[in-house]
Amino acid sequence: MSDNEFLRSIEDNFKKAASFLDLDDGLAHKIMITNSTYVVRFGVRLRGSLHTFTGYRSVHSEHFEPVKGGIRFNEHVSQEEVEALASLMTYKCALMEIPFGGSKGGLIINPSDWNETELERITRRFTQELAKRDLIHPSQNVPAPDVGTGEREMAWMADEYKRLNPTDLHAWACVTGKPAGKGGIAGRTEATGRGVQYGLQEFFRHKIDVEKTGLSGNLKGKRIIIQGLGNVGYHAALFLSTEDGALITHVLERGGAIVNENGIDITALRAHIMKNGTVEGFDGFVKSGIEMLEADADILIPAAMELVITEDNAPNIKTPLIIEAANGPISAKGDAIIRDRGIVVIPDLYANAGGVTVSYFEWIKNLTRIRFGRLQRRQSENHFNAIISGVEMMTGKPFPDDLRDRALTGATELDLVRSGLEDTMRQAYIDISAEWNANPEIPDLRTAAMKIAVQRVSSSYSSLGI
């Protein structure tokens, strides 16, 4: 599937949602198209010769600044893919009520072709090129990790930006997803997977939506297929299995799949992959591929790359519920087939927004230069200790030890991040569900979510006189 199709899928979703709004044609077109894309080709002398790399940074919408979006390192990165992901970021931030515009970046590179020292030099040179155009800047454009990048690369980029701007007080806010010791925030690594969990939990609180799938109850015992056990898929699978009692029955990875109808031990599988670089050799291994998306289960979580469900395999999907942990895993044509078959899809612009939500928290932390909870944690402990002492005095009975410990443990940064993420995910789903159920002409959650996002972007532009 081409990157052009990915971009067209997002534009088709936009047009469908915009049809439910009274938008001027000119404004609708302005919202849909990408504002700008910067293409850079830079040289780095490595291994005795000069190597030229091509990178991109797209800005889809500046209705809010800074704009926000990850940077991926992948040999298949293209301008169309980056522009599609930038537009998705605009709608995602608007839906989650995060005051960022949408952006995205990419570098055409296979990270495994280079050692760590070489990757650092390449990353720093890419940062220099972006910084020339303020395409990395704490108040204008804030990258984050994506496919092929992580805390390490973000630390390099932040440090390079700081070298270029030594007097910028907020320099470390130029990127998010940094290591904890370099201005990062607790819970950022798990954020997207945790957001998937919170999204599913909230879905199952809405009985009217659950009934449309033919499922019932909550997540306990639900059979789940995970496609991709990277950072997002791993954390989603881990939390759903250990905290919600769901059964991860299928894990699809490059080189094969793991199948266990009694539930896969996700921690053990992750350790096996980290040690061996493959799922092969783990209990339940089958040498199978993408067709395992069509296995029998309750919930399907595509958590890898875009366009894995298309018109070719959509007719064979058996799960009544899909939650898009990856960006754009279902093509527009595949989505139409899925919808016509009555399968409910929790869309990507909501489902994987946990990452940008916690990135927003990290950005705030960097600007304020104080970790969350530092001012109020002990005050909260003292406050509840006084209440417990009063209860004991009035009743003449000791407060239960387990409840005392819970009440007197003040919130850590991780507790506050998780709380903020859960609140954001829950409220966003409440809005989407209400929109979906209020208008019988809105066909699915994706259209409802996109309608909300487009309406908010439109309102922002209107307030600017555009």
Side-chain angles (χ1 to χ4, degrees), residues 293-311:
L293 291 170
E294 304 165 17
D296 184 36
D298 300 310
I299 303 169
L300 170 60
I301 307 180
M305 298 294 286
E306 55 265 15
L307 301 176
V308 296
I309 299 175
T310 67
E311 67 268 29

Side-chain angles (χ1 to χ4, degrees), residues 154 171 208 218 226 244 313 416 453:
M154 295 305 105
I208 188 173
N218 54 28
I226 298 276
D244 296 298
N313 59 358
L416 293 169

Side-chain angles (χ1 to χ4, degrees), residues 72-109:
R72 57 178 52 185
F73 283 8
N74 187 275
E75 57 192 329
H76 301 298
V77 165
S78 70
Q79 180 173 332
E80 291 79 10
E81 178 189 43
V82 170
E83 290 185 355
L85 292 165
S87 64
L88 197 57
M89 280 299 300
T90 291
Y91 308 133
K92 193 181 299 184
C93 291
L95 177 66
M96 308 308 286
E97 297 189 283
I98 298 170
F100 289 140
S103 184
K104 204 74 177 186
L107 184 66
I108 301 176
I109 186 174

